[in-house]
Amino acid sequence: MVTTTTGSSGPTITPVILAGGSGTRLWPMSRKSYPKQFVPLLGERTLFQDAARRMSGSSGSVHFAKPMVLTNSLFRFIIAEQLAKEGIDPEAILIEPEGRNTAPAILAAAVHLAKTQPDAFMLVAPSDHVITDRVAFHEAIAKGLMATARGDLVTFGIQPTRAETGYGYLEIGERPDGSGMPIALRSFVEKPDAVRAEEMLATGNYLWNAGIFLFAVKDILAAFEQHTPELFETVVQAVDQAEADLGFLRLAADPWAQADNIAIDYAIMERADNLSVVPYGAGWSDLGDWDSVWGHMGPDEQGVSVAGAATAIDCRNSLLRSETEGLEIVGLGLDNIVAVAMNDAVLIADKSRTQDVKKVVEALQRKGAAQAETFPKDHRPWGWYESLLIGGRFQVKRITVLPGASLSLQSHFHRSEHWIVVEGTAKVTLDADVTLLTENQSVYIPVGARHRIENPGRIPMVFIEVQTGPYVGEDDIVRYEDRYARG
């Protein structure tokens, strides 16, 4: 349970992390089935893990409670696993039946938190942003708390460094004086064209809209009830009728489907009159394209950034990444090029066109290419698998099962399977028989047989699965028992 206390050091804040997005501008590493917030783009940790760590513990007068996470059913086990790796125990992981934008998500978090902590404060932040200075970020939050004390809804505006056309803007009442203290917000401005962006940069009265918010739960609930009463009613119903699903809370689908698909900017921030902005200029990025990733990777003196098995020869102002072990990417004489290689797709683009990568995804979708949306490594609650080879009547997979994890007890109508253990120890159920297999041992699973594989060990277990039959699709599964409560 969240414990919210107020003392001389200030209130405890519950982070609300929005992690349901499925961005396409960092394709092929970011895809609908496994978007950028869960990918280690700038080091060993993912953007989601960095966000959770950034909003945990205490720093100065800022104290964080356990985080809440808003996501969808597809990502719930990924989130639980990545939080566990960081030693972070969430207050709640709320599952949205379908994406309805930020206003319903934030409202659901506030309604849920108010049930036990009506006097709580909440900090809402996307899960896929880069904030390089944790201490400065916490100092900005502390300044924002000064405005929440008088009932203001606070947003954070990034001091612009260029005439950016890819962000929305916040118009403020005065130029920031460098103190970082809250300033009155005049209006929200849509993404401008290049000319308008230059004009706004010159005035100094505009900040980038970071989509980060801070407010007291009672104040944001009052704002929703006043400005969007119908949305307020439907989301309250979705939370009141929510059902526990293992360690998650699944919002009720019927009332949630009636909620408006609307951003909090339009639902509340453009209508409320108790708004403040905290200017922030200590390093922020939404990491929205490969050009941004190139910059954060730290280019060398020739402007070249490399990652993985990548080699640059006589290249300038370029990014080369290999995301597959054993796949070497070599650039020769490249200038202003982005090249990202995975085992199922390769992106080669002019660095000035990286904002248009979404057009690549749209083109792949039109031709029905699986690479448009499906990540080559399919993450499941028990681990992950990747297809190594697919033929007309067969498929070969490499499957990794985490320690203590288990696939469901299942059968197939159309395929048989051979399992060969290559790392660790497997506990195999085949109809009434249960056996242990170690490395280099195998078992045959006939069509229709009930079977399950588990990892009883303390290290990941890896096995090769060879499927044969007239159909090897993922929907040819009948589950009888499943510890993860999947259908």
Side-chain angles (χ1 to χ4, degrees), residues 100-151:
R100 308 302 290 167
N101 217 313
T102 56
I106 293 170
L107 177 55
V111 171
H112 177 73
L113 189 57
K115 289 179 179 293
T116 55
Q117 298 293 329
D119 296 324
F121 289 79
M122 53 193 287
L123 176 70
V124 180
S127 60
D128 57 355
H129 289 184
V130 174
I131 296 177
T132 55
D133 192 332
R134 184 175 186 266
V135 173
F137 180 58
H138 288 187
E139 290 173 351
I141 293 169
K143 292 169 182 174
L145 285 172
M146 299 178 186
T148 63
R150 58 177 182 259

Side-chain angles (χ1 to χ4, degrees), residues 91-316:
E91 160 66 16
I93 300 176
L94 273 58
I95 308 301
E96 301 174 80
E98 57 183 292
R100 308 302 290 167
N101 217 313
T102 56
I106 293 170
L107 177 55
V111 171
H112 177 73
L113 189 57
K115 289 179 179 293
T116 55
Q117 298 293 329
D119 296 324
F121 289 79
M122 53 193 287
L123 176 70
V124 180
S127 60
D128 57 355
H129 289 184
V130 174
I131 296 177
T132 55
D133 192 332
R134 184 175 186 266
V135 173
F137 180 58
H138 288 187
E139 290 173 351
I141 293 169
K143 292 169 182 174
L145 285 172
M146 299 178 186
T148 63
R150 58 177 182 259
D152 280 7
L153 308 178
V154 176
T155 185
F156 294 79
I158 308 302
Q159 295 183 8
T161 57
R162 61 187 183 276
E164 176 62 56
T165 61
Y167 302 149
Y169 284 72
L170 306 171
E171 183 184 9
I172 53 180
E174 58 188 280
R175 281 175 174 263
D177 60 6
S179 68
M181 297 302 292
I183 302 172
L185 172 62
R186 281 185 176 176
S187 67
F188 285 75
V189 181
E190 293 291 335
K191 296 177 182 179
D193 58 26
V195 173
R196 179 60 176 147
E198 291 284 0
E199 293 173 351
M200 290 192 294
L201 182 65
T203 68
N205 280 32
Y206 293 86
L207 304 172
W208 291 337
N209 183 1
I212 303 174
F213 305 95
L214 175 68
F215 25 67
V217 168
K218 59 181 175 59
D219 292 331
I220 192 62
L221 288 178
F224 273 107
E225 193 167 16
Q226 175 184 352
H227 299 295
T228 58
E230 293 183 358
L231 177 64
F232 181 84
E233 181 179 347
T234 56
V235 172
V236 167
Q237 291 176 6
V239 176
D240 287 345
Q241 299 171 26
E243 296 182 354
D245 179 358
L246 298 178
F248 312 102
L249 186 67
R250 191 179 294 275
L251 300 174
D254 288 344
W256 188 258
Q258 304 305 313
D260 289 338
N261 188 339
I262 187 171
I264 192 171
D265 294 356
Y266 301 120
I268 301 299
M269 298 299 173
E270 291 189 353
R271 305 178 185 184
D273 56 9
N274 56 332
L275 304 179
S276 292
V277 183
V278 174
Y280 183 78
W284 169 91
S285 172
D286 71 343
L287 216 65
D289 60 19
W290 282 114
D291 187 45
S292 178
V293 174
W294 164 82
H296 279 278
M297 287 174 59
D300 64 17
E301 62 276 8
Q302 300 301 318
V304 176
S305 295
V306 297
T311 302
I313 303 171
D314 297 332
C315 295
R316 298 177 64 253

Side-chain angles (χ1 to χ4, degrees), residues 4-12 61 63:
T4 303
T5 58
T6 303
S8 59
S9 61
T12 299
S61 61
H63 310 281

Side-chain angles (χ1 to χ4, degrees), residues 367-385:
K367 66 186 294 186
Q371 290 91 333
E373 298 182 351
T374 304
F375 205 72
K377 183 182 287 186
D378 195 319
H379 290 258
R380 298 298 174 94
W382 42 258
W384 59 86
Y385 75 83

Side-chain angles (χ1 to χ4, degrees), residues 338-414:
V338 167
V340 181
M342 301 189 70
N343 63 353
D344 68 334
V346 178
L347 171 70
I348 303 172
D350 189 288
K351 199 154 69 71
S352 66
R353 296 289 305 277
T354 54
Q355 284 280 353
D356 295 328
V357 169
K358 59 184 179 181
K359 295 180 180 179
V360 175
V361 178
E362 293 168 356
L364 292 175
Q365 289 172 332
R366 287 193 295 269
K367 66 186 294 186
Q371 290 91 333
E373 298 182 351
T374 304
F375 205 72
K377 183 182 287 186
D378 195 319
H379 290 258
R380 298 298 174 94
W382 42 258
W384 59 86
Y385 75 83
E386 52 189 332
S387 293
L388 304 178
L389 186 63
I390 301 177
R393 293 177 58 89
F394 73 92
Q395 180 172 201
V396 181
K397 292 181 177 179
R398 176 167 53 195
I399 302 177
T400 298
V401 185
L402 300 173
S406 167
L407 278 68
S408 62
L409 181 65
Q410 59 186 251
S411 67
H412 311 292
F413 288 114
H414 303 291

